[in-house]
Amino acid sequence: MNFPLTLTVSDRKSMDSELDAAVTAAKACALQGKRHGILVTRLGADKFTVDLSEAVPFGLTREHQAW
């Protein structure tokens, strides 16, 4: 899977399930290299990115609001 993943959601239920799935995929990739954490960035009311980040310590997930 290629990161960052960009998600556009239509409602709260889909937001929760899509973000959970994207973070789970990111964790699987992060475990391979063991040098990236996960950064979830909210770009708007309905848009997010999930990415691997060297700025986030391995084993952690951080959230950032960019709107």
Side-chain angles (χ1 to χ4, degrees), residues 22-41:
V23 168
T24 297
K27 284 180 183 178
C29 287
L31 281 171
Q32 293 174 6
K34 296 186 179 181
R35 59 189 176 114
H36 295 97
I38 299 164
L39 180 62
V40 178
T41 303

Side-chain angles (χ1 to χ4, degrees), residues 7-65:
L7 308 171
T8 302
V9 298
S10 59
D11 56 41
R12 178 65 190 219
K13 185 177 178 181
S14 65
M15 178 182 75
D16 289 342
S17 64
E18 289 184 41
L19 281 171
D20 285 346
V23 168
T24 297
K27 284 180 183 178
C29 287
L31 281 171
Q32 293 174 6
K34 296 186 179 181
R35 59 189 176 114
H36 295 97
I38 299 164
L39 180 62
V40 178
T41 303
R42 187 171 197 159
L43 303 171
D46 64 347
K47 193 167 188 174
F48 299 83
T49 60
V50 176
D51 202 2
L52 301 178
S53 174
E54 290 183 354
V56 178
F58 172 72
L60 296 180
T61 300
R62 294 214 172 123
E63 298 178 9
H64 176 71
Q65 296 233 11

